[in-house]
Amino acid sequence: LPSIYYPYRTTSTFVTPKLSLRYTQYDLHSTSSFRSSPSRLLPILSVDSGVFLERNFSLFGRQSLQTLEPRLFYVYIPEDDQSGLPVFDTGLYDFSFDSLLREDRFSGIDRVGDANQFTLALTSRLIDHDTGKEKGYLSLGQIYYLNDRNVTLPGKASRGDDSSPIVAELGTSLFKHWKFRGSLQWDPNENKTEKLLTQV
C-alpha cells in the first residue's frame, strides 16, 4: 500500500491530499471457486482538511480554553468487481466516530470498499489554561455518500443510503479520578437510535 501525501498547515488550518495504491495478490491451491492467482490494484484518493479556532473563558473560577475544530474529509475509491477474490479475515468495522474518518470501511485486505463520499465533523474541546489538560470534548459528524456502495461481503446487499448515521461523542474528566465517555448514533434514514453507549 504505497502512498504519497502533502500536508499543508498554517497556524489554524490544514489540508492533506493523499494518493495510495493498494495491490493484493493471492496464491491459492486446491480450490475450484477461484483462480489460482487472482489480484487487485486500486487507487485511493483522500483529502483531509480542518480549521482550528479557540477562545479564552472562565469556568468555575479557572481560566480555560475552548476550541472549535470543523473538519472535512473526502474519499474516492473506484468500484471494482471483487467477487473473484476470497474472503479470509475481512469484515466491516464497527461504526463509530472514528469510522467517519477512515478511507476504507472494511477491516481486512480481502475487500476494498468503493467510495465517493465526504464527512462533515465538528469537535469542541475544553482545556485547562494552566495545565493544558483536556477537561472535556464534544464531537459530532456524519458521512454523505455521493454513490451507492456496491462492493460487499459475500451474501450481503449493496447500500444506497445518502448518508450515514449521525454520530455524537462526549467525554469529560472534570471530576477528580473520574472520567466519563458517551456516544450516540442516530440514523436519519430509519429515524431511530442505532446505538447508545456510556462508560465511566
Side-chain angles (χ1 to χ4, degrees), residues 34-170:
F34 304 100
R35 293 183 291 111
S36 61
S37 186
S39 63
R40 175 195 58 214
L41 176 64
L42 279 174
I44 302 173
L45 172 66
S46 66
V47 181
D48 193 7
S49 61
V51 179
F52 184 87
L53 306 171
E54 63 181 40
R55 70 183 182 106
N56 294 306
F57 75 108
S58 179
L59 180 67
F60 304 135
R62 294 181 63 89
Q63 288 298 312
S64 300
L65 183 72
Q66 182 189 14
T67 71
L68 192 64
E69 307 166 34
R71 194 166 174 179
L72 174 63
F73 181 65
Y74 174 76
V75 180
Y76 176 76
I77 305 174
E79 181 182 343
D80 181 67
D81 182 8
Q82 299 170 51
S83 59
L85 302 180
V87 175
F88 292 118
D89 58 359
T90 293
L92 286 170
Y93 282 110
D94 184 41
F95 196 74
S96 65
F97 187 82
D98 291 337
S99 302
L100 303 178
L101 304 170
R102 284 194 180 105
E103 291 179 336
D104 194 359
R105 60 184 177 271
F106 293 107
S107 61
I109 64 171
D110 302 316
R111 290 292 183 271
V112 177
D114 51 327
N116 185 14
Q117 63 193 51
F118 64 93
T119 294
L120 292 177
L122 180 67
T123 296
S124 181
R125 307 180 196 274
L126 186 64
I127 301 172
D128 188 284
H129 193 276
D130 296 328
T131 65
K133 181 180 179 181
E134 183 180 275
K135 308 298 289 185
Y137 72 92
L138 174 64
S139 296
L140 185 70
Q142 186 178 24
I143 302 174
Y144 296 89
Y145 303 108
L146 303 178
N147 293 111
D148 295 345
R149 280 86 64 220
N150 294 317
V151 176
T152 64
L153 295 171
K156 302 295 183 180
S158 61
R159 297 295 302 270
D161 299 333
D162 293 331
S163 61
S164 74
I166 298 171
V167 184
E169 280 194 0
L170 172 68

